[in-house]
Every structure is written in structure tokens, then in C-alpha cells.
Amino acid sequence: MTYLELSAWFVGAAVIAAIVLSLIAGRRRARLGAIALTLLALVILTAVFDTLMIATGLFHYSPAHLLGVHIGLAPLEDFAYPIAGAILLPALWAVLRARRGRRDAEGTS
């Protein structure tokens, strides 16, 4: 399995989970603008810091398993984890807020 295939499965699972969690959260779902800003920040930070870590030799990737596209020194596949986090975590947060809101509403009734 290549890094791209692994990344695709990982991001796909995060997207599916985020959709399900957004449906559960209802009106309190995560805002797309906030997700987009978070995604942009995480991609920039990943590009900068992964390039620094790869340049200093902290880790490397087997070229045989890479697509060959890099942003700085970071391979494209390395961006799957921050992308998945930016998609999944706001949806999870929204569900937890919705649950707490429902619990608080039941407690005051």
C-alpha cells in the first residue's frame, strides 16, 4: 500500500465520520468558514515544520511509496493527517456541544 492510498482511506474515513457527526449535531454543526481557516493554518504549519524536520534528517519517506509531489520537502501524502483533523475534530466538538446543550436544557426544564 502506498502512502497516498493510506492517506486517502484516512481522509475518507474522517469525512464520513464528520458527515455523520454533523447530522447528529443538528443546528450546532461546525461552521465551514472556521474549518477552512483551520485547514489553511494547518496546511501552512505542516509545510513549514515538516520541511524543517525532513531537512534536519529527523525522518524520511521511502520514495518508492510516494506520489512525488512535494510542498517544500514535505510529500503531498503528509498533509492527510492535518486535513483529516481539520475536518473531523470540529464535527466532534459540535456533537459534544450539542449533547451538553441538550443535557443543560433538560436539567433546567
Side-chain angles (χ1 to χ4, degrees):
M1 179 177 286
T2 65
Y3 293 126
L4 182 62
E5 292 169 332
L6 179 62
S7 297
W9 279 105
F10 189 74
V11 172
V15 167
I16 291 169
I19 290 169
V20 170
L21 290 171
S22 292
L23 293 173
I24 293 169
R27 293 182 328 177
R28 290 186 176 250
R29 67 180 52 140
R31 305 219 190 308
L32 290 179
I35 293 171
L37 284 174
T38 302
L39 184 60
L40 178 65
L42 288 175
V43 166
I44 291 169
L45 289 170
T46 299
V48 170
F49 289 107
D50 281 13
T51 294
L52 290 173
M53 290 187 289
I54 291 169
T56 59
L58 290 175
F59 61 91
H60 70 283
Y61 292 93
S62 169
H65 298 288
L66 292 175
L67 185 61
V69 178
H70 291 78
I71 298 175
L73 295 177
L76 186 63
E77 295 87 345
D78 208 21
F79 292 87
Y81 304 104
I83 290 170
I87 292 169
L88 181 59
L89 293 176
L92 179 61
W93 184 264
V95 166
L96 294 174
R97 284 185 53 205
R99 263 184 59 193
R100 185 178 63 191
R102 283 192 295 267
R103 188 179 61 229
D104 290 348
E106 289 172 0
T108 60
S109 300

Coordinates of all heavy atoms in Angstrom, one line a residue, residues 5-105:
E5 N -2.5 5.9 -0.9 CA -3.7 5.0 -0.6 C -4.0 5.1 0.9 O -5.2 5.2 1.2 CB -3.4 3.6 -1.0 CG -3.3 3.4 -2.5 CD -2.7 2.0 -2.9 OE1 -2.0 1.4 -2.1 OE2 -3.1 1.6 -4.0
L6 N -3.0 5.0 1.7 CA -3.3 5.1 3.2 C -3.9 6.4 3.5 O -4.9 6.5 4.3 CB -2.0 4.9 3.9 CG -2.1 4.9 5.4 CD1 -3.0 3.9 6.0 CD2 -0.7 4.8 6.0
S7 N -3.4 7.5 3.0 CA -3.9 8.8 3.2 C -5.3 9.0 2.7 O -6.2 9.6 3.4 CB -3.0 9.9 2.5 OG -1.7 9.8 3.0
A8 N -5.6 8.4 1.6 CA -7.0 8.5 1.0 C -8.0 7.8 1.9 O -9.1 8.3 2.2 CB -7.0 7.9 -0.4
W9 N -7.6 6.6 2.4 CA -8.5 5.9 3.3 C -8.7 6.7 4.6 O -9.8 6.8 5.2 CB -7.9 4.5 3.7 CG -8.2 3.5 2.6 CD1 -7.3 3.0 1.7 CD2 -9.5 2.9 2.3 NE1 -8.0 2.1 0.9 CE2 -9.3 2.0 1.3 CE3 -10.7 2.9 2.9 CZ2 -10.3 1.2 0.7 CZ3 -11.7 2.2 2.4 CH2 -11.5 1.3 1.3
F10 N -7.6 7.3 5.1 CA -7.7 8.0 6.4 C -8.6 9.3 6.2 O -9.5 9.5 7.1 CB -6.3 8.4 6.8 CG -6.2 9.0 8.2 CD1 -6.3 8.2 9.3 CD2 -6.0 10.4 8.3 CE1 -6.2 8.7 10.5 CE2 -5.9 10.9 9.6 CZ -6.0 10.1 10.7
V11 N -8.4 10.0 5.2 CA -9.2 11.2 5.0 C -10.6 10.9 4.7 O -11.6 11.5 5.1 CB -8.6 12.1 3.8 CG1 -9.5 13.3 3.5 CG2 -7.2 12.7 4.3
G12 N -10.8 9.8 3.9 CA -12.2 9.3 3.6 C -12.9 9.0 4.8 O -14.1 9.3 5.0
A13 N -12.3 8.2 5.7 CA -12.9 7.9 7.0 C -13.3 9.1 7.8 O -14.3 9.2 8.4 CB -12.0 6.9 7.8
A14 N -12.4 10.1 7.8 CA -12.6 11.3 8.6 C -13.8 12.1 8.0 O -14.6 12.6 8.7 CB -11.4 12.2 8.6
V15 N -13.9 12.1 6.7 CA -15.0 12.8 6.0 C -16.3 12.2 6.3 O -17.3 12.8 6.7 CB -14.8 12.9 4.5 CG1 -16.1 13.4 3.8 CG2 -13.7 13.9 4.2
I16 N -16.4 10.8 6.3 CA -17.6 10.1 6.6 C -18.0 10.3 8.0 O -19.2 10.6 8.3 CB -17.4 8.6 6.2 CG1 -17.4 8.4 4.7 CG2 -18.6 7.8 6.8 CD1 -16.9 7.0 4.3
A17 N -17.0 10.2 8.9 CA -17.3 10.4 10.3 C -17.8 11.8 10.6 O -18.7 12.1 11.4 CB -16.1 10.1 11.2
A18 N -17.2 12.8 9.9 CA -17.6 14.2 10.1 C -19.0 14.4 9.6 O -19.8 15.2 10.2 CB -16.7 15.2 9.4
I19 N -19.4 13.8 8.5 CA -20.8 13.9 8.0 C -21.8 13.4 9.0 O -22.8 14.0 9.3 CB -20.9 13.2 6.6 CG1 -20.2 14.0 5.6 CG2 -22.4 13.1 6.2 CD1 -20.0 13.3 4.2
V20 N -21.5 12.2 9.5 CA -22.4 11.5 10.5 C -22.5 12.4 11.7 O -23.6 12.6 12.2 CB -21.9 10.1 10.8 CG1 -22.6 9.5 12.0 CG2 -22.0 9.2 9.6
L21 N -21.3 12.9 12.2 CA -21.3 13.7 13.4 C -22.1 15.0 13.2 O -22.8 15.5 14.1 CB -19.9 14.0 13.9 CG -19.1 12.8 14.4 CD1 -17.7 13.1 14.6 CD2 -19.8 12.3 15.7
S22 N -22.0 15.6 12.0 CA -22.7 16.8 11.7 C -24.2 16.6 11.7 O -24.9 17.5 12.1 CB -22.2 17.4 10.3 OG -20.9 17.8 10.4
L23 N -24.6 15.5 11.2 CA -26.0 15.1 11.2 C -26.5 15.0 12.7 O -27.6 15.4 13.0 CB -26.3 13.9 10.4 CG -26.1 14.0 8.9 CD1 -26.2 12.7 8.2 CD2 -27.0 15.0 8.3
I24 N -25.7 14.4 13.5 CA -26.1 14.2 14.9 C -26.1 15.6 15.6 O -27.0 15.8 16.4 CB -25.1 13.3 15.6 CG1 -25.2 11.9 15.0 CG2 -25.3 13.3 17.1 CD1 -24.1 10.9 15.5
A25 N -25.2 16.5 15.3 CA -25.1 17.8 15.9 C -26.2 18.7 15.6 O -26.6 19.5 16.4 CB -23.8 18.5 15.6
G26 N -26.9 18.5 14.5 CA -28.0 19.3 14.1 C -27.6 20.7 13.8 O -26.7 21.0 13.1
R27 N -28.3 21.7 14.5 CA -28.1 23.1 14.2 C -26.7 23.6 14.8 O -26.3 24.6 14.3 CB -29.2 23.9 14.9 CG -30.5 23.7 14.3 CD -31.5 24.6 15.0 NE -31.2 24.8 16.4 CZ -31.9 25.5 17.3 NH1 -32.9 26.2 16.8 NH2 -31.5 25.6 18.5
R28 N -26.1 22.9 15.7 CA -24.9 23.3 16.3 C -23.7 22.8 15.5 O -22.6 22.8 16.0 CB -24.8 22.8 17.7 CG -25.7 23.5 18.6 CD -25.4 23.0 20.0 NE -26.3 23.8 21.0 CZ -25.8 24.7 21.8 NH1 -24.5 25.0 21.8 NH2 -26.6 25.3 22.6
R29 N -23.9 22.4 14.2 CA -22.7 21.8 13.5 C -21.6 22.9 13.2 O -21.9 24.1 13.4 CB -23.2 21.3 12.1 CG -23.7 22.3 11.2 CD -24.2 21.6 9.9 NE -25.1 20.5 10.2 CZ -26.2 20.2 9.6 NH1 -26.5 20.9 8.5 NH2 -27.0 19.2 10.0
A30 N -20.5 22.4 12.9 CA -19.3 23.2 12.7 C -19.5 24.1 11.5 O -20.1 23.8 10.5 CB -18.1 22.4 12.5
R31 N -18.9 25.3 11.6 CA -19.1 26.3 10.5 C -18.0 26.1 9.5 O -16.8 25.9 9.8 CB -18.9 27.7 11.1 CG -19.9 28.0 12.2 CD -20.5 29.4 12.1 NE -21.2 29.9 13.2 CZ -22.3 29.3 13.8 NH1 -22.7 28.2 13.4 NH2 -23.0 29.9 14.7
L32 N -18.4 26.1 8.2 CA -17.4 25.8 7.1 C -16.3 26.9 7.1 O -15.2 26.5 6.7 CB -18.2 25.8 5.8 CG -19.1 24.6 5.6 CD1 -19.8 24.6 4.3 CD2 -18.3 23.3 5.8
G33 N -16.6 28.1 7.3 CA -15.5 29.1 7.3 C -14.5 28.9 8.4 O -13.3 29.0 8.1
A34 N -14.9 28.4 9.5 CA -13.9 28.1 10.6 C -13.1 26.9 10.2 O -11.9 26.9 10.5 CB -14.6 27.9 11.9
I35 N -13.7 25.9 9.6 CA -13.0 24.7 9.2 C -12.0 25.1 8.1 O -10.8 24.6 8.1 CB -14.0 23.7 8.7 CG1 -14.8 23.1 9.8 CG2 -13.2 22.5 8.0 CD1 -15.9 22.2 9.4
A36 N -12.4 26.0 7.1 CA -11.5 26.4 6.1 C -10.3 27.1 6.6 O -9.1 26.9 6.2 CB -12.2 27.2 5.1
L37 N -10.5 28.0 7.6 CA -9.4 28.8 8.2 C -8.4 27.8 8.9 O -7.2 28.0 8.8 CB -9.9 29.9 9.1 CG -10.4 31.1 8.4 CD1 -11.0 32.1 9.4 CD2 -9.3 31.8 7.6
T38 N -9.0 26.9 9.7 CA -8.2 25.9 10.4 C -7.4 25.1 9.4 O -6.2 24.8 9.6 CB -9.1 25.0 11.2 OG1 -9.8 25.9 12.1 CG2 -8.3 24.0 12.0
L39 N -8.0 24.6 8.4 CA -7.4 23.8 7.3 C -6.2 24.6 6.7 O -5.1 24.0 6.6 CB -8.4 23.4 6.3 CG -7.9 22.5 5.2 CD1 -7.4 21.2 5.8 CD2 -9.0 22.2 4.2
L40 N -6.4 25.8 6.4 CA -5.3 26.6 5.8 C -4.2 26.8 6.8 O -3.0 26.6 6.4 CB -5.9 28.0 5.4 CG -4.9 29.0 4.8 CD1 -4.3 28.5 3.5 CD2 -5.5 30.4 4.7
A41 N -4.5 27.1 8.0 CA -3.4 27.2 9.0 C -2.6 25.9 9.2 O -1.4 25.9 9.3 CB -4.0 27.7 10.3
L42 N -3.3 24.8 9.3 CA -2.7 23.5 9.5 C -1.8 23.1 8.3 O -0.7 22.5 8.5 CB -3.7 22.4 9.8 CG -4.3 22.5 11.2 CD1 -5.4 21.4 11.4 CD2 -3.3 22.4 12.3
V43 N -2.3 23.4 7.1 CA -1.5 23.0 5.9 C -0.2 23.9 5.9 O 0.9 23.3 5.6 CB -2.4 23.2 4.6 CG1 -1.5 23.2 3.4 CG2 -3.4 22.1 4.5
I44 N -0.3 25.2 6.2 CA 0.9 26.0 6.2 C 1.8 25.5 7.3 O 3.0 25.4 7.0 CB 0.5 27.5 6.4 CG1 -0.2 28.0 5.1 CG2 1.7 28.3 6.7 CD1 -0.9 29.4 5.3
L45 N 1.3 25.3 8.4 CA 2.2 24.8 9.5 C 2.9 23.5 9.2 O 4.0 23.3 9.5 CB 1.4 24.8 10.8 CG 1.1 26.1 11.4 CD1 0.1 25.9 12.6 CD2 2.3 26.9 11.9
T46 N 2.1 22.6 8.6 CA 2.6 21.3 8.2 C 3.7 21.5 7.2 O 4.8 20.8 7.3 CB 1.5 20.4 7.7 OG1 0.6 20.2 8.7 CG2 2.1 19.0 7.2
A47 N 3.5 22.3 6.2 CA 4.5 22.5 5.2 C 5.8 23.1 5.8 O 6.9 22.6 5.5 CB 4.0 23.5 4.1
V48 N 5.7 24.0 6.7 CA 6.9 24.6 7.2 C 7.6 23.7 8.2 O 8.8 23.4 8.0 CB 6.5 25.9 8.0 CG1 7.7 26.4 8.9 CG2 6.0 27.0 7.1
F49 N 6.9 23.1 9.1 CA 7.6 22.3 10.1 C 8.0 20.9 9.6 O 9.1 20.4 10.0 CB 6.7 22.2 11.4 CG 6.7 23.5 12.1 CD1 5.6 24.3 12.1 CD2 7.8 23.9 12.8 CE1 5.5 25.5 12.8 CE2 7.8 25.1 13.5 CZ 6.7 25.9 13.5
D50 N 7.2 20.3 8.7 CA 7.7 19.1 8.1 C 8.9 19.3 7.2 O 9.8 18.4 7.2 CB 6.6 18.4 7.3 CG 5.6 17.7 8.2 OD1 5.6 17.9 9.5 OD2 4.8 16.9 7.7
T51 N 8.9 20.4 6.5 CA 10.1 20.7 5.7 C 11.3 20.8 6.6 O 12.4 20.3 6.3 CB 9.9 22.0 4.9 OG1 8.9 21.7 3.9 CG2 11.2 22.4 4.2
L52 N 11.2 21.5 7.7 CA 12.3 21.7 8.7 C 12.8 20.3 9.2 O 14.0 20.0 9.3 CB 11.9 22.6 9.8 CG 11.8 24.1 9.4 CD1 11.2 24.9 10.6 CD2 13.1 24.7 9.0
M53 N 11.8 19.5 9.6 CA 12.1 18.2 10.2 C 12.8 17.3 9.2 O 13.7 16.5 9.5 CB 10.9 17.5 10.8 CG 10.4 18.3 12.1 SD 9.1 17.4 13.0 CE 7.7 17.7 11.8
I54 N 12.3 17.3 8.0 CA 12.9 16.5 6.9 C 14.3 17.0 6.6 O 15.2 16.2 6.4 CB 12.0 16.4 5.7 CG1 10.7 15.6 6.0 CG2 12.7 15.8 4.5 CD1 9.6 15.7 5.0
A55 N 14.4 18.3 6.5 CA 15.7 18.9 6.2 C 16.8 18.6 7.2 O 18.0 18.4 6.9 CB 15.6 20.4 6.0
T56 N 16.4 18.5 8.5 CA 17.4 18.2 9.6 C 17.6 16.6 9.7 O 18.4 16.2 10.5 CB 16.9 18.7 10.9 OG1 15.6 18.2 11.2 CG2 16.8 20.2 10.9
G57 N 16.8 15.8 9.0 CA 17.1 14.4 9.0 C 16.3 13.7 10.1 O 16.7 12.5 10.4
L58 N 15.3 14.3 10.7 CA 14.6 13.6 11.8 C 13.8 12.4 11.2 O 13.6 11.4 12.0 CB 13.6 14.6 12.5 CG 14.3 15.6 13.3 CD1 13.2 16.6 13.8 CD2 15.0 15.0 14.5
F59 N 13.3 12.5 10.0 CA 12.7 11.3 9.4 C 12.7 11.5 7.9 O 13.1 12.5 7.4 CB 11.2 11.2 9.9 CG 10.3 12.4 9.6 CD1 9.6 12.4 8.4 CD2 10.2 13.4 10.5 CE1 8.8 13.5 8.1 CE2 9.4 14.5 10.2 CZ 8.6 14.5 9.0
H60 N 12.4 10.4 7.2 CA 12.3 10.5 5.7 C 11.3 9.5 5.3 O 10.8 8.6 6.0 CB 13.7 10.1 5.1 CG 14.1 8.7 5.3 ND1 14.6 8.2 6.5 CD2 14.1 7.7 4.4 CE1 14.8 6.9 6.3 NE2 14.5 6.6 5.1
Y61 N 10.9 9.6 4.0 CA 9.9 8.7 3.4 C 10.6 7.9 2.3 O 11.5 8.4 1.6 CB 8.8 9.5 2.8 CG 7.9 10.2 3.8 CD1 8.2 11.5 4.2 CD2 6.9 9.6 4.4 CE1 7.4 12.2 5.1 CE2 6.1 10.2 5.3 CZ 6.4 11.5 5.7 OH 5.6 12.2 6.6
S62 N 10.1 6.7 2.1 CA 10.6 5.8 1.0 C 10.1 6.4 -0.3 O 8.9 6.4 -0.5 CB 10.1 4.4 1.2 OG 10.4 3.6 0.0
P63 N 10.9 6.8 -1.2 CA 10.5 7.4 -2.5 C 9.6 6.5 -3.3 O 8.8 6.9 -4.1 CB 11.8 7.8 -3.2 CG 12.8 7.8 -2.2 CD 12.4 6.9 -1.1
A64 N 9.8 5.2 -3.1 CA 9.1 4.2 -3.9 C 7.6 4.2 -3.6 O 6.8 3.8 -4.4 CB 9.7 2.8 -3.7
H65 N 7.2 4.7 -2.4 CA 5.8 4.7 -2.0 C 5.2 6.1 -2.1 O 4.1 6.3 -1.6 CB 5.7 4.2 -0.6 CG 6.2 2.8 -0.4 ND1 5.5 1.7 -0.9 CD2 7.3 2.3 0.1 CE1 6.1 0.6 -0.6 NE2 7.2 0.9 0.0
L66 N 5.9 7.1 -2.6 CA 5.4 8.4 -2.7 C 4.9 8.8 -4.1 O 5.3 8.2 -5.1 CB 6.5 9.4 -2.3 CG 6.9 9.4 -0.9 CD1 8.1 10.4 -0.7 CD2 5.8 9.8 0.1
L67 N 3.9 9.7 -4.1 CA 3.4 10.2 -5.4 C 4.5 11.0 -6.1 O 4.5 11.0 -7.4 CB 2.2 11.0 -5.1 CG 1.4 11.5 -6.3 CD1 0.9 10.4 -7.2 CD2 0.2 12.4 -5.9
G68 N 5.3 11.7 -5.4 CA 6.4 12.5 -6.0 C 6.1 14.0 -5.9 O 6.9 14.8 -6.3
V69 N 4.9 14.4 -5.5 CA 4.6 15.8 -5.3 C 5.0 16.3 -3.9 O 4.6 15.6 -3.0 CB 3.1 16.1 -5.6 CG1 2.7 17.5 -5.4 CG2 2.7 15.6 -7.0
H70 N 5.7 17.4 -3.9 CA 6.2 17.9 -2.6 C 5.8 19.4 -2.4 O 5.7 20.1 -3.4 CB 7.7 17.8 -2.4 CG 8.2 16.4 -2.3 ND1 8.3 15.5 -3.4 CD2 8.5 15.7 -1.3 CE1 8.7 14.4 -3.0 NE2 8.9 14.4 -1.7
I71 N 5.5 19.8 -1.2 CA 5.3 21.2 -0.8 C 6.5 21.4 0.1 O 6.5 20.9 1.2 CB 4.0 21.4 -0.2 CG1 2.9 21.1 -1.2 CG2 3.9 22.9 0.3 CD1 1.5 21.2 -0.6
G72 N 7.5 22.2 -0.4 CA 8.7 22.3 0.3 C 9.4 20.9 0.2 O 9.5 20.3 -0.9
L73 N 9.8 20.4 1.3 CA 10.3 19.0 1.3 C 9.3 18.0 1.8 O 9.5 16.8 1.7 CB 11.5 18.9 2.3 CG 12.8 19.7 1.9 CD1 13.8 19.6 3.0 CD2 13.3 19.3 0.6
A74 N 8.1 18.4 2.2 CA 7.1 17.6 2.7 C 6.3 16.9 1.5 O 5.8 17.7 0.6 CB 6.1 18.3 3.6
P75 N 6.2 15.6 1.5 CA 5.4 15.0 0.4 C 3.9 15.3 0.6 O 3.4 15.5 1.7 CB 5.7 13.5 0.6 CG 6.1 13.3 2.0 CD 6.8 14.6 2.4
L76 N 3.2 15.3 -0.5 CA 1.8 15.6 -0.5 C 1.0 14.7 0.5 O 0.1 15.1 1.1 CB 1.2 15.5 -1.9 CG -0.2 15.9 -2.1 CD1 -0.4 17.4 -1.8 CD2 -0.6 15.6 -3.5
E77 N 1.4 13.5 0.5 CA 0.7 12.5 1.4 C 0.8 12.9 2.9 O 0.0 12.5 3.7 CB 1.3 11.1 1.2 CG 1.1 10.5 -0.1 CD 2.2 10.9 -1.2 OE1 3.0 11.8 -0.9 OE2 2.3 10.3 -2.2
D78 N 1.8 13.7 3.2 CA 2.0 14.0 4.6 C 0.9 15.0 5.1 O 0.8 15.2 6.3 CB 3.4 14.7 4.8 CG 3.9 14.5 6.2 OD1 3.5 13.6 6.9 OD2 4.8 15.3 6.5
F79 N 0.2 15.6 4.2 CA -0.9 16.6 4.6 C -2.2 15.9 4.9 O -3.1 16.6 5.3 CB -1.0 17.6 3.4 CG 0.2 18.5 3.3 CD1 1.3 18.1 2.5 CD2 0.3 19.7 4.0 CE1 2.4 18.9 2.4 CE2 1.4 20.5 3.9 CZ 2.4 20.1 3.1
A80 N -2.3 14.6 4.7 CA -3.6 13.9 5.0 C -4.0 14.0 6.5 O -5.2 14.2 6.8 CB -3.5 12.5 4.6
Y81 N -3.1 13.9 7.4 CA -3.4 13.9 8.8 C -3.9 15.3 9.3 O -5.0 15.4 10.0 CB -2.3 13.4 9.6 CG -1.9 12.1 9.1 CD1 -0.7 11.9 8.4 CD2 -2.7 11.0 9.4 CE1 -0.4 10.6 7.9 CE2 -2.3 9.7 8.9 CZ -1.2 9.5 8.1 OH -0.9 8.3 7.6
P82 N -3.3 16.4 8.9 CA -3.9 17.7 9.3 C -5.2 18.0 8.6 O -6.1 18.6 9.2 CB -2.8 18.7 9.0 CG -1.8 18.1 8.1 CD -1.9 16.6 8.4
I83 N -5.3 17.5 7.4 CA -6.6 17.7 6.7 C -7.7 16.9 7.4 O -8.8 17.5 7.6 CB -6.5 17.3 5.2 CG1 -5.6 18.3 4.5 CG2 -7.8 17.2 4.5 CD1 -5.2 17.9 3.1
A84 N -7.4 15.7 7.7 CA -8.4 14.9 8.4 C -8.8 15.5 9.8 O -9.9 15.5 10.2 CB -7.9 13.4 8.6
G85 N -7.8 16.0 10.5 CA -8.0 16.6 11.8 C -8.9 17.8 11.7 O -9.8 18.1 12.4
A86 N -8.6 18.7 10.6 CA -9.4 19.9 10.4 C -10.8 19.6 10.0 O -11.7 20.4 10.3 CB -8.7 20.8 9.4
I87 N -11.1 18.4 9.4 CA -12.4 18.1 9.0 C -13.2 17.4 10.2 O -14.3 17.7 10.5 CB -12.4 17.1 7.8 CG1 -11.9 17.9 6.6 CG2 -13.7 16.5 7.6 CD1 -11.5 17.0 5.4
L88 N -12.5 16.5 10.9 CA -13.1 15.6 11.9 C -13.3 16.3 13.2 O -14.4 16.2 13.8 CB -12.4 14.3 12.0 CG -12.9 13.3 13.0 CD1 -14.3 12.9 12.6 CD2 -12.0 12.1 13.1
L89 N -12.3 17.0 13.7 CA -12.4 17.5 15.1 C -13.5 18.6 15.3 O -14.1 18.5 16.3 CB -11.0 18.0 15.5 CG -10.0 16.8 15.7 CD1 -8.6 17.4 16.0 CD2 -10.5 15.8 16.7
P90 N -13.7 19.5 14.4 CA -14.8 20.5 14.6 C -16.1 19.8 14.6 O -17.0 20.2 15.4 CB -14.7 21.4 13.4 CG -13.3 21.3 13.0 CD -12.9 19.9 13.2
A91 N -16.3 18.7 13.8 CA -17.6 18.0 13.9 C -17.8 17.3 15.2 O -18.9 17.3 15.8 CB -17.7 17.0 12.7
L92 N -16.7 16.7 15.7 CA -16.8 16.1 17.0 C -17.1 17.1 18.1 O -17.9 16.8 19.0 CB -15.5 15.3 17.3 CG -15.4 14.6 18.6 CD1 -16.4 13.5 18.7 CD2 -14.0 14.0 18.8
W93 N -16.4 18.2 18.0 CA -16.7 19.3 19.0 C -18.1 19.7 19.0 O -18.8 20.0 20.0 CB -15.7 20.4 18.7 CG -15.8 21.5 19.7 CD1 -16.6 22.7 19.6 CD2 -15.2 21.6 21.0 NE1 -16.4 23.5 20.7 CE2 -15.5 22.8 21.6 CE3 -14.3 20.8 21.7 CZ2 -15.1 23.2 22.8 CZ3 -13.9 21.2 22.9 CH2 -14.2 22.4 23.5
A94 N -18.7 19.9 17.8 CA -20.1 20.3 17.6 C -21.0 19.3 18.3 O -22.0 19.7 18.9 CB -20.4 20.5 16.1
V95 N -20.8 18.0 18.1 CA -21.6 17.0 18.7 C -21.5 17.1 20.2 O -22.6 17.0 20.9 CB -21.2 15.6 18.2 CG1 -21.9 14.5 19.1 CG2 -21.6 15.4 16.8
L96 N -20.3 17.2 20.7 CA -20.2 17.3 22.2 C -20.9 18.6 22.7 O -21.5 18.5 23.8 CB -18.7 17.3 22.6 CG -18.0 16.0 22.3 CD1 -16.5 16.2 22.5 CD2 -18.6 14.9 23.0
R97 N -20.8 19.7 22.0 CA -21.5 20.9 22.4 C -23.0 20.7 22.4 O -23.8 21.2 23.3 CB -21.1 22.1 21.6 CG -19.8 22.6 21.9 CD -19.5 23.9 21.1 NE -20.5 24.8 21.2 CZ -20.8 25.8 20.3 NH1 -20.1 25.8 19.2 NH2 -21.8 26.6 20.5
A98 N -23.5 20.1 21.3 CA -25.0 19.8 21.2 C -25.5 18.9 22.3 O -26.5 19.1 22.9 CB -25.3 19.2 19.8
R99 N -24.7 17.9 22.6 CA -25.1 17.0 23.7 C -25.1 17.7 25.0 O -26.1 17.6 25.8 CB -24.0 15.9 23.9 CG -24.4 14.6 23.2 CD -23.5 13.5 23.4 NE -23.3 13.2 24.8 CZ -22.3 12.4 25.3 NH1 -21.4 11.9 24.5 NH2 -22.2 12.2 26.6
R100 N -24.1 18.6 25.3 CA -24.1 19.4 26.5 C -25.3 20.3 26.6 O -25.9 20.5 27.6 CB -22.8 20.1 26.7 CG -22.7 20.8 28.0 CD -21.4 21.5 28.2 NE -21.3 22.6 27.2 CZ -20.2 23.3 26.9 NH1 -19.1 23.0 27.6 NH2 -20.3 24.2 26.0
G101 N -25.6 20.9 25.4 CA -26.7 21.9 25.3 C -28.1 21.2 25.6 O -28.9 21.7 26.3
R102 N -28.2 20.0 25.1 CA -29.4 19.2 25.3 C -29.5 18.8 26.8 O -30.6 18.8 27.4 CB -29.5 18.0 24.4 CG -29.9 18.3 23.0 CD -30.2 17.0 22.2 NE -29.1 16.1 22.0 CZ -28.3 16.2 21.0 NH1 -28.5 17.0 20.0 NH2 -27.3 15.3 20.9
R103 N -28.4 18.4 27.3 CA -28.4 18.0 28.7 C -28.7 19.2 29.7 O -29.5 19.0 30.6 CB -27.0 17.4 29.1 CG -27.0 16.8 30.5 CD -25.7 16.1 30.8 NE -24.6 17.2 30.8 CZ -23.5 17.0 30.2 NH1 -23.2 16.0 29.5 NH2 -22.6 18.0 30.2
D104 N -28.1 20.3 29.3 CA -28.4 21.5 30.1 C -29.9 21.9 30.0 O -30.5 22.4 31.0 CB -27.5 22.7 29.7 CG -26.1 22.5 30.1 OD1 -25.8 21.5 30.9 OD2 -25.2 23.2 29.6
A105 N -30.5 21.8 28.8 CA -31.9 22.2 28.6 C -32.8 21.2 29.3 O -33.8 21.7 29.9 CB -32.2 22.1 27.1

